[in-house]
Amino acid sequence: MRKETFKISGMTCAACAARIERTLKREAGVASIHVNLVMEKGTVIYDKSQISLDTIFERIAKIGFEALPIETKKETQARKKNELKHQKYKFIVSLILSLPLLYTMFAHFSFLSFISVPDLLLNPWFQFILATPIQFLLGWQFYRGAYQSLSNKSANMDVLVAMGTSAAYFYSIYLMFSHTHTVGHVPLYFETSAVLITLILLGKYFEKRAKGHASDAIEKLAALQVHDAEVERAGQICHISIEDVRVGDIVRVRSGAQIPLDGEVIEGWSTVDESMLTGESLPVDKKVGDTVIGSTINQQNFIKVRVTHTGEDLVLNQIIKVVEEAQGEKPQIQRLADKVSNIFVPVVVGIAVITFIVWYFFITPYHLSQALETFIAVIVIACPCALGLATPTSIMVGSGRAAESGVLFKTAESLEQAHRVDTIVFDKTGTLTMGNPEVIKMYDFNVNIQSKSYMKSLEFQSEHPISKAIVTYFDALEILPVDDYQTHTGNGILGKVEGHQIVVGSIAFVKQYTIINEEEMKKVQMLEASGATVIAMSMDGMLAIILGVRDEPKQEAPSVLAQLAKQYDLIMLSGDSEKTAQAIGKTLGLTRVVAGVKPNEKASVIAQLQQEGRYVMMVGDGLNDAPALMKSDIGIAMGSGTDIALESADIALVNGNLQHIIETLQLSRLTIRNIKQNLFFAFCYNMLGIPFAAMGFLAPWLAGTAMAFSSVSVVLNALRLKHISK
């Protein structure tokens, strides 16, 4: 299966997007298709052995739309700017032509008889000359869209606009020729069709402009990208394009300059402003060996950086990709609007026809103009644009706003569902703690003078944070060859060093290979009571060393957990002993701690909570958290964690700050509330507007104004999400 995202032009409302989806779903080889009206993009998963992308594009073209490969950022910006300018010019021309016609409306109202309307403006041929280019040149897009929609046995907004304006326009032509010998003013409806098209064009302009602001967050991120770098090559310093920099190159970064690419500091130290990617206002200290992120700002001193990632592998580009993919997906709440939109236009046409019949035969018998006006008003006010824009615009703005704070919703579904969480499960190491454990106490039983070296030699083979802490603690000792090395995940390690059988791990694990007396257990219990993780080593069946290792809690952890505890059930998972885990939990203010959990058991804990009817969020950062992150309803990976944890999670926190968990839940809650507001407004607007128009309380031009306002107001409401405080 292959996944492709492409641009789609020509869509006007939700019915257009739904028609493209229906058409492609019928094609053999197409597994799924999602069309985003706001972003004007489609994402298809297909079997290339059954159907090609060119064929998919042809099918889209056949139903009246144009599919094109994804543009570059510059091309997209240029195209959107030109489209907005073109839409603006169309409106201005339409306004100039329709203003004289609008002025003639004063002649329709007796209470405005004191306003003089020149005879020229009331001349049928003058009105015809002004209205015709509006109807067929500026309004041609509606005819084209209506034809393409109807030819594919569906109906969209263009059908409603074309029907409503055509009814007014052609009825006016009929009146022109049927009253050629009539003396005096003949009431025509050219101004109705012309003003309607003008108002709809204005609405389209505002809508396109507002939709452009919905993608501001992505454009801001893209604008951060650096275009060139100062690179050291073969003893020479050269300025080259960022595309020509290779992994392993040494780049020079001056004070105040942007770091061009992701890399590792190899010379100097400085502080780096990472706020544009992580949402953290405080600068981060960087020294030799630390990683830096491309496009962040070097604040203090000159540094040299060895490039580790380029192109699509850069953190910034990965963030942009994740956000764009999330914005392109369709959450569950959108399906309701889609179902309504699919049947909406035919139902509205039916209501409009019934309205016409009732008015023409019963309310104002054989008074065609009044029946026609109510028919047009119903048709125009019911355009389903607001329904189509309600969900994708909010998702787009919400996920973009989250990205600015360092929160990456990897799917639209995760943004939609995070607000349902009632239970949050935390991994301990690296999530609630710093992830940099240190040895705080050692008991050496002098079994062998080399026992410390033996312990270091085994731990050197492991990548576990505790192993690294032990290796650092015994930094001055030599590393000896290890034979028969074995790892028991979550428990400990075994091996032979200089012929001695060495076992290192938890007390429970080491107990399987040696006897620990009462005095030694007292030392273990003292360390556990202090919140330290106890690591023991035995040699040839005799206890040799006991270490107390402690990983300090993150500074923000207690306050964040205290805030979350007001609304959610909080649980900490730890592989530590019961006493150690409870001591750490007490420090953090947690009342529920599950201790002695092996990596392969974490997912089982999540499953048990789900069986109790809980909606569970798992927060973790390590390789052993991946199964639990996938099993949970919502998985959050700390940005400082392993790649596999980030891949397994639904949400990633770029800098691993626990404070962002609160922001994640808040953003989800506010985004869903915003979507519901939009859908409520769109549904209520039509439920109230259609009967209001059917009862004759809305003139067609006023219905057109209300229709345009509904679409713009939905987009503007979604844009409020941009102003949520960080």
Side-chain angles (χ1 to χ4, degrees), residues 622-638:
L623 175 65
N624 55 18
D625 298 324
L629 288 169
M630 295 184 71
K631 179 64 179 173
S632 62
D633 297 292
I634 298 290
I636 293 187
M638 311 302 279

Side-chain angles (χ1 to χ4, degrees), residues 427-436 551-554 584 588:
D427 168 55
K428 186 201 76 172
T429 304
T431 302
L432 295 176
T433 63
M434 298 296 291
N436 296 312
D551 188 6
E552 296 298 328
K554 291 183 176 178
I584 296 170
L588 293 168

Side-chain angles (χ1 to χ4, degrees), residues 152-218:
N152 287 282
K153 300 177 182 178
S154 62
N156 64 357
M157 184 201 82
D158 292 331
V159 173
L160 299 181
V161 175
M163 284 183 65
T165 58
S166 295
Y169 178 83
F170 288 109
Y171 180 55
S172 297
I173 290 179
Y174 164 77
L175 291 176
M176 272 179 60
F177 289 101
S178 61
H179 293 79
T180 52
H181 301 293
T182 302
V183 178
H185 168 61
V186 178
L188 304 177
Y189 295 90
F190 284 123
E191 81 281 354
T192 299
S193 63
V195 171
L196 275 176
I197 290 175
T198 302
L199 287 171
I200 293 168
L201 290 175
L202 176 62
K204 287 287 183 186
Y205 170 72
F206 282 135
E207 182 184 305
K208 191 174 285 289
R209 185 175 176 182
K211 281 161 64 177
H213 288 305
S215 60
D216 280 352
I218 290 293

Side-chain angles (χ1 to χ4, degrees), residues 536-593:
M537 171 197 155
S538 73
M539 186 174 72
D540 299 328
M542 296 179 65
L543 188 65
I545 296 172
I546 297 175
L547 294 179
V549 181
R550 188 155 60 202
D551 188 6
E552 296 298 328
K554 291 183 176 178
Q555 186 176 359
E556 75 274 11
S559 63
V560 169
L561 294 174
Q563 291 179 66
L564 291 172
K566 296 175 183 177
Q567 299 182 57
Y568 308 96
D569 290 333
L570 306 183
I571 301 170
M572 184 183 81
L573 298 184
S574 174
D576 290 324
S577 67
E578 185 70 29
K579 284 186 178 180
T580 299
Q582 289 294 346
I584 296 170
K586 186 176 181 180
T587 302
L588 293 168
L590 291 170
T591 56
R592 186 169 178 185
V593 174

Side-chain angles (χ1 to χ4, degrees), residues 346-521:
V347 169
V348 167
V349 172
I351 292 173
V353 171
I354 292 171
T355 299
F356 177 84
I357 292 171
V358 170
W359 275 85
Y360 186 71
F361 289 105
F362 301 103
I363 299 178
T364 55
Y366 307 108
H367 195 286
L368 182 60
S369 61
Q370 183 61 51
L372 187 64
E373 281 195 12
T374 54
F375 169 83
I376 295 170
V378 170
I379 286 288
V380 171
I381 200 169
C383 289
C385 299
L387 279 175
L389 293 170
T391 300
T393 310
S394 296
I395 290 289
M396 191 174 194
V397 178
S399 57
R401 179 64 188 82
E404 292 178 353
S405 295
V407 178
L408 299 184
F409 289 95
K410 296 169 70 176
T411 63
E413 200 76 18
S414 61
L415 176 58
E416 179 190 23
Q417 297 299 323
H419 77 288
R420 295 179 55 195
V421 168
D422 53 38
T423 303
I424 306 176
V425 178
F426 293 91
D427 168 55
K428 186 201 76 172
T429 304
T431 302
L432 295 176
T433 63
M434 298 296 291
N436 296 312
E438 295 180 352
V439 177
I440 59 169
K441 184 70 174 177
M442 180 181 73
Y443 294 105
D444 182 2
F445 301 103
N446 296 315
V447 173
N448 186 300
I449 195 170
Q450 285 283 77
S451 60
K452 297 174 188 175
S453 290
Y454 296 163
M455 188 176 194
K456 178 182 178 181
S457 300
L458 253 70
E459 296 288 13
F460 185 75
Q461 314 299 317
S462 173
E463 288 296 315
H464 195 282
I466 290 180
S467 297
K468 292 181 178 180
I470 293 171
V471 170
T472 301
Y473 185 70
F474 293 133
D475 185 52
L477 301 177
E478 64 177 325
I479 297 172
L480 303 170
V482 178
D483 299 319
D484 300 331
Y485 180 82
Q486 299 175 40
T487 298
H488 293 252
T489 305
N491 291 304
I493 50 181
L494 297 89
K496 286 187 176 180
V497 184
E498 294 185 342
H500 298 287
Q501 182 66 45
I502 308 298
V503 181
V504 181
S506 66
I507 288 296
F509 180 69
V510 173
K511 268 186 177 181
Q512 299 174 34
Y513 300 89
T514 189
I515 297 173
I516 301 177
N517 61 41
E518 186 177 342
E519 191 63 32
E520 291 164 345
M521 280 305 300

